């Protein structure tokens, strides 16, 4: 598989986000895990789409859920695997628009801006179809859709890490952006630099919800207020 977003800096991804967003990052994780605990039975089968380094997969597995983690970046999944001490989590390296696990889950998670990495409408529709395919008839999906203002530059500096994110609008009509990430990490007087570049797209929440509605999934609960300050809308969907 060709390089995917975050491949080049997967080893410092957790550190970069924890430093950049501080307590908000952990709070968002805690709120998401609690939401799942409140809405799913203990031991439920969970599919974590865009699982990354295991921000949700690992604590959910520790809570007794049966977790399958999917991510487009093999490097991110490698980090997850190293953190999954008991190897409780099944990992799958795949794009969402190509995914077919041949099974259904009680809960399908697709959060932390997964959809913005899909920039073509036909691929987004394939991704949404695949998401729906994996949700049991008595299960639910929990997704987020970033707000438009979240597509913005970011800078963070301390004595150990320097992080600069530049987000440039390259197609105003389609809301397509070029994302550039620059990170320098200082460890024991040794500096290591990382760089990444990829294309992202802002999708209107109503558009994604309407597509899912056509596929048979309906908005059961708008959880956006429960996740205030996250920079995204959160939706629970059921059949």
């Amino acid at each position: 598989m060709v390089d995917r977003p975050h491949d080049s800096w997967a080893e410092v991804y957790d550190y970069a986000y924890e430093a950049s967003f501080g307590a908000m990052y952990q709070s968002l994780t805690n709120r998401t895990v609690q939401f799942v605990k409140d809405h799913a039975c203990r031991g439920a089968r969970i599919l974590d789409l865009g699982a990354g380094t295991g921000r949700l997969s690992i604590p959910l597995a520790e809570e007794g859920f049966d977790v399958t983690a999917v991510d487009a970046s093999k490097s991110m999944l490698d980090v997850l695997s190293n953190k999954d001490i008991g190897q409780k989590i099944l990992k799958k390296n795949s794009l969402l628009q190509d995914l077919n696990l041949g099974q259904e889950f009680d809960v399908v998670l697709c959060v932390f801006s997964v959809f913005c990495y899909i920039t073509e409408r036909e691929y987004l529709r394939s991704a949404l179809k695949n998401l729906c395919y994996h949700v049991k008839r008595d299960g639910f999906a929990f997704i987020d859709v970033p707000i438009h203002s979240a597509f913005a530059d970011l800078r963070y500096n301390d004595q150990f890490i320097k992080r600069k994110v530049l987000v440039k609008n390259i197609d105003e009509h389609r809301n397509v952006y070029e994302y550039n990430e620059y990170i320098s990490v200082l460890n024991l007087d040794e500096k290591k630099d990382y760089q990444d570049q990829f294309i992202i797209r802002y999708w209107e929440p109503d558009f994604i919800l309407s597509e899912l509605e056509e596929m048979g999934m309906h908005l059961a609960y708008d959880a956006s207020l429960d996740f205030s300050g996250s920079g995204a809308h959160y939706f629970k969907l059921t059949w």
Side-chain angles (χ1 to χ4, degrees):
M1 182 177 283
V2 299
D3 287 349
R4 299 296 182 192
H6 312 307
D7 272 351
S8 61
W9 54 291
E11 64 182 8
V12 295
Y13 179 92
D14 290 336
Y15 181 34
Y17 269 82
E18 288 164 5
S20 302
F21 296 103
M24 172 57 76
Y25 188 64
Q26 188 58 51
S27 171
L28 180 57
T29 299
N30 293 343
R31 279 184 278 173
T32 310
V33 171
Q34 189 61 51
F35 185 92
V36 175
K37 290 171 64 177
D38 290 344
H39 291 255
C41 296
R42 184 174 176 84
R45 300 183 67 205
I46 296 178
L47 177 60
D48 185 7
L49 301 173
T53 63
R55 182 180 69 91
L56 297 176
S57 290
I58 289 175
L60 287 170
E62 291 173 348
E63 289 286 349
F65 293 103
D66 181 355
V67 181
T68 296
V70 175
D71 202 90
S73 168
K74 183 179 182 303
S75 297
M76 295 282 275
L77 286 178
D78 287 343
V79 174
L80 188 160
S81 188
N82 289 335
K83 292 160 62 177
D84 181 20
I85 305 301
Q87 295 302 302
K88 298 178 181 179
I89 301 167
L90 180 65
K91 296 94 177 171
K92 174 70 174 179
N93 179 211
S94 175
L95 293 168
L96 178 51
Q97 56 264 42
D98 297 334
L99 184 67
N100 185 345
L101 297 176
Q103 55 186 302
E104 296 177 338
F105 295 80
D106 301 295
V107 181
V108 175
L109 301 175
C110 192
V111 296
F112 219 45
S113 308
V114 175
F115 296 128
C116 74
Y117 296 95
I118 304 172
T119 59
E120 300 299 328
R121 185 169 295 199
E122 63 179 297
Y123 294 145
L124 178 67
R125 187 168 179 82
S126 295
L128 294 174
K129 281 184 177 179
N130 290 343
L131 182 152
C132 294
Y133 169 78
H134 291 91
V135 184
K136 289 176 65 175
R137 290 292 148 172
D138 58 350
F140 69 90
F142 190 53
I143 69 171
D144 78 350
V145 183
I147 61 177
H148 205 175
S149 59
F151 289 70
D153 296 350
L154 178 149
R155 286 176 172 80
Y156 177 83
N157 297 310
D158 65 23
Q159 59 183 323
F160 301 112
I161 184 170
K162 296 183 185 299
R163 185 180 182 209
K164 179 172 68 173
V165 176
L166 302 178
V167 182
K168 179 182 178 183
N169 191 322
I170 58 174
D171 188 334
E172 291 186 8
H173 178 68
R174 297 172 62 239
N175 286 311
V176 175
Y177 297 79
E178 181 182 85
Y179 180 104
N180 287 275
E181 176 93 32
Y182 305 91
I183 298 176
S184 294
V185 177
L186 181 62
N187 185 21
L188 300 177
D189 296 325
E190 180 182 358
K191 186 167 76 77
K192 191 167 183 180
D193 296 322
Y194 304 85
Q195 185 174 346
D196 200 4
Q197 181 186 82
F198 48 89
I199 305 300
I200 55 177
R201 182 171 179 177
Y202 168 73
W203 297 99
E204 291 280 356
D206 287 347
F207 172 73
I208 289 181
L209 290 176
S210 67
E211 289 288 307
L212 289 166
E213 181 84 19
E214 284 187 17
M215 297 170 191
M217 294 212 78
H218 311 287
L219 178 61
Y221 178 60
D222 185 340
S224 301
L225 287 179
D226 300 336
F227 290 83
S228 60
S230 67
H233 304 275
Y234 279 75
F235 305 118
K236 177 185 177 183
L237 301 122
T238 56
W239 293 108

